[in-house]
Amino acid sequence: MKAVCWHGTHDVRVDTVPDPTILNPRDAIIKITSTAICGSDLHLYDGFIPTMQSGDILGHEFMGEVVETGPGVSNLKQGDRVVVPFTISCGSCFFCNQDLWSLCDNSNPNAWMAEKFYGHSPSGLFGYSHLMGGYAGGQAEYVRVPFADVGPLKVPDGLTDEQVLFLTDIFPTGYMAAENCDIQPGDTVAVWGCGPVGQFAIRSAFMLGAERVIAIDRVPERLALAQAGGAEVLNYEELDPGEALKEMTGGRGPDSCIDSVGMEAHGTGPMALYDTVKQAVRLESDRPQVLRQAIAACRKGGKVSVPGVYGGFIDKVPMGAFVNKGLTMRSGQTHVHKYLKPLLERVQKGEIDPSFVITHRLPLDEAPRAYKIFRDKEDNCIKVVLKPFATTA
């Protein structure tokens, strides 16, 4: 089959690789009808996530049709259309039973690696390094799905791929980011980053009752899309976010701040240059420019939500501000399984059409170009969907 494979920093190729096979009774094989490039994939593309190996198959946002199941999978049958959570979860460990699906104890065969980095291992992830299990991803024609009796959700008739594809990751990620803010009526929420996750965080914050959402970015088309979703917008290259947010909230600051950027944050001024240089020479693994701003801007007693991916260690975190302002921070890989059905219901009711973020649709063969377009924000790109079989289901 054809698959998008990582071969090094800024080097992804469409290779011919062996078809996946059933390895475990709880496996299923899915024929991919739609897959997408995620902002998190760019951390792999840019070479900042460790334990990648040449030839690894990328992709964790995908859906498709069941073509084969193991004997332990009774909930799916050949021909079912399914979306697949990017987190791989067993469904029976302590954490899965607590609805903490991305912390599954049994799905990362390389847990010992993650334990060395983080103390404990999160769940396995599709297409996201050997640190997270070394699983082949879904930017391919076919994929093996472990624990298929737990993860995949059948797609109801009448919904297109593009309406449900992002249930696999970015819609639940944005929604969980907003939910972690414990939004109360009348709240003001500031969202750093108007990429796909930020866009879903904005709309989710409104769905959960926020009165105002203030979106911060520098890319005009992203700011325009955020504004179309009801947000007030700030261009951080034109205004200092901290000062602007203080002025817009009567000096109090936002009730909650969401960092939907993560480890490759851009910024202005000496601190942004400091982060860029230290990350380039691997003296700092992540650039926490946005996290610093969110902590500084948030009102006293407020909440900082971090859906943005961080991979290692960061410098100059204003812990004095965090502690003395009495802030609460919540983060984590998304517990996608928890949100699949509730968010699918919102789509079915017409409360949201997740396809609003899609700007580019390309065949799988054009994945290398798609990665470059997405990373460099060329051609007004916000989100790219790849079609392995050039279908438009």
Side-chain angles (χ1 to χ4, degrees):
M1 69 170 185
K2 292 181 179 178
V4 181
C5 297
W6 185 92
H7 288 280
T9 302
H10 302 156
D11 183 4
V12 300
R13 309 171 197 170
V14 179
D15 294 340
T16 299
V17 302
D19 292 346
T21 59
I22 298 290
L23 300 179
N24 184 284
R26 298 175 69 183
D27 288 349
I29 304 299
I30 309 295
K31 176 183 177 180
I32 305 299
T33 55
S34 294
T35 183
I37 301 174
C38 180
S40 300
D41 290 324
L42 297 182
H43 303 322
L44 304 176
Y45 186 69
D46 288 337
F48 292 126
I49 299 294
T51 73
M52 290 295 291
Q53 296 178 12
S54 183
D56 284 348
I57 299 174
L58 299 172
H60 58 270
E61 293 182 346
F62 59 87
M63 64 173 294
E65 179 182 311
V66 177
V67 295
E68 186 180 358
T69 58
V73 180
S74 59
N75 57 310
L76 301 175
K77 65 181 186 302
Q78 187 174 356
D80 283 344
R81 250 174 102 223
V82 295
V83 292
V84 181
F86 80 94
T87 49
I88 302 169
S89 308
C90 75
S92 59
C93 71
F94 171 85
F95 295 98
C96 289
N97 285 329
Q98 298 293 318
D99 253 357
L100 302 172
W101 299 88
S102 71
L103 304 177
C104 176
D105 255 345
N106 296 322
S107 62
N108 185 357
N110 296 330
W112 63 273
M113 289 188 190
E115 288 165 1
K116 288 186 176 181
F117 274 86
Y118 305 132
H120 299 274
S121 173
S123 72
L125 305 179
F126 285 102
Y128 215 78
S129 83
H130 292 264
L131 185 69
M132 299 302 180
Y135 290 98
Q139 289 171 10
E141 293 181 322
Y142 297 89
V143 67
R144 179 180 74 93
V145 176
F147 301 109
D149 56 329
V150 174
L153 177 70
K154 293 180 186 178
V155 178
D157 293 338
L159 294 175
T160 67
D161 275 24
E162 292 184 355
Q163 287 177 288
V164 296
L165 173 61
F166 302 133
L167 291 172
T168 62
D169 179 3
I170 56 172
F171 185 11
T173 296
Y175 190 89
M176 185 171 122
E179 188 178 74
N180 280 344
C181 294
D182 188 24
I183 293 169
Q184 303 300 309
D187 272 5
T188 296
V189 179
V191 178
W192 274 258
C194 296
V197 168
Q199 299 291 343
F200 281 110
I202 290 164
R203 284 155 179 77
S204 296
F206 281 125
M207 284 193 286
L208 291 172
E211 181 174 314
R212 299 173 71 192
V213 178
I214 303 169
I216 303 148
D217 206 297
R218 65 187 171 95
V219 181
E221 56 269 19
R222 293 185 173 197
L223 290 168
L225 188 59
Q227 196 166 36
E232 302 162 60
V233 298
L234 291 175
N235 185 327
Y236 69 78
E237 290 186 331
E238 298 174 356
L239 294 168
D240 175 78
E243 292 302 316
L245 288 168
K246 189 177 289 186
E247 183 175 339
M248 295 172 75
T249 57
R252 179 182 294 171
D255 299 286
S256 298
C257 293
I258 297 177
D259 170 5
S260 60
V261 181
M263 67 186 295
E264 291 188 77
H266 294 278
T268 59
M271 194 62 76
L273 179 61
Y274 166 91
D275 286 331
T276 300
V277 171
K278 289 204 74 173
Q279 189 185 53
V281 297
R282 300 301 192 264
L283 292 176
E284 182 182 28
S285 61
D286 305 6
R287 303 196 300 261
Q289 180 82 354
V290 163
L291 185 60
R292 294 190 195 106
Q293 290 182 359
I295 290 171
C298 196
R299 72 158 169 83
K300 293 181 288 186
K303 298 172 181 68
V304 177
S305 174
V306 188
V309 171
Y310 286 86
F313 298 92
I314 55 178
D315 295 348
K316 305 292 189 292
V317 177
M319 282 305 296
F322 184 82
V323 171
N324 288 289
K325 289 166 66 174
L327 302 181
T328 299
M329 184 183 295
R330 298 188 68 183
S331 187
Q333 297 287 359
T334 309
H335 308 304
V336 179
H337 300 60
K338 174 182 177 180
Y339 297 104
L340 280 175
K341 290 181 180 178
L343 295 186
L344 175 62
E345 289 177 5
R346 288 186 181 270
V347 175
Q348 289 179 295
K349 291 176 182 177
E351 295 179 26
I352 186 170
D353 180 353
S355 66
F356 77 92
V357 295
I358 301 171
T359 54
H360 291 67
R361 300 163 177 86
L362 296 168
L364 191 73
D365 284 337
E366 294 192 39
R369 183 170 76 91
Y371 265 86
K372 186 177 185 305
I373 290 171
F374 186 44
R375 178 190 182 273
D376 296 340
K377 303 173 182 64
E378 297 175 358
D379 192 31
N380 299 326
C381 182
I382 293 176
K383 187 68 173 180
V384 181
V385 171
L386 300 172
K387 296 286 187 176
F389 295 95
T391 60
T392 56

